Amino acid sequence: MLVALRAILIFRPLLDVQSAPDGLVPNTKRFCRASAAAKAERRPRIFHKINPTAEGELMGNWSKWFSRYLRKACGVADDRVVFHSFRHSFKHYARACRLDKAVNDAITGHETGETGDDYGPEYPLHPLVEGMARYRVPGFTLPPPPASLR
């Protein structure tokens, strides 16, 4: 079994009880526990119970569900807006924040195909953390925490 290890960067406000929207801190902590359990059990994936489509696409069924959720629960009418749109938006706003292309690519898991990408064990974590700290979406702020957490 081939297991790929990847550093998972979590946007700091999602860990901060004082600034995260209701429900995000417990869900982020649940994700961290699930990640630790997968590592301890030497599972190749954190979400090991997700079934691939008949074509073998691992996240295909989840992506279809999310698209239906966007249309019905969120009222997004544009069929071009899909789960993968988050990745496109991240890349766009990372460029707007002047994140180095190599940092941007490392965070999103993009490879350039250049030989130098394979030099060294993995991309250093420090520039990735710094990049996430600088990342902003103009005009977007997380909603205030519920009164019970203030």
Side-chain angles (χ1 to χ4, degrees), residues 127-143:
L128 304 180
V129 171
E130 284 181 342
M132 287 303 295
R134 288 186 18 222
Y135 183 80
R136 297 288 180 275
V137 176
F140 176 78
T141 56
L142 291 171

Side-chain angles (χ1 to χ4, degrees), residues 97-129:
C97 293
R98 297 191 173 145
L99 263 62
D100 181 75
K101 183 179 181 337
V103 170
N104 190 335
D105 288 344
I107 290 171
T108 56
H110 284 149
E111 295 181 0
T112 65
E114 295 176 13
T115 303
D117 288 348
D118 295 330
Y119 294 171
E122 62 185 35
Y123 203 90
L125 191 56
H126 186 74
L128 304 180
V129 171

Side-chain angles (χ1 to χ4, degrees), residues 68-102:
R68 287 190 300 271
Y69 175 79
L70 280 176
R71 310 290 169 254
K72 293 177 183 173
C74 302
V76 175
D78 188 342
D79 287 340
R80 295 173 300 173
V81 178
V82 296
F83 185 72
H84 196 77
S85 300
F86 287 114
R87 189 178 183 117
H88 288 239
S89 295
F90 180 90
K91 296 288 285 186
H92 170 79
Y93 289 112
R95 286 189 295 267
C97 293
R98 297 191 173 145
L99 263 62
D100 181 75
K101 183 179 181 337

Side-chain angles (χ1 to χ4, degrees), residues 9-32 132 140-143:
L9 300 173
I10 298 175
F11 192 48
R12 181 169 298 282
L14 299 182
L15 295 173
D16 183 3
V17 174
Q18 300 305 312
S19 65
D22 190 23
L24 279 180
V25 170
N27 287 326
T28 302
K29 289 181 180 176
R30 254 185 247 129
F31 173 78
C32 291
M132 287 303 295
F140 176 78
T141 56
L142 291 171

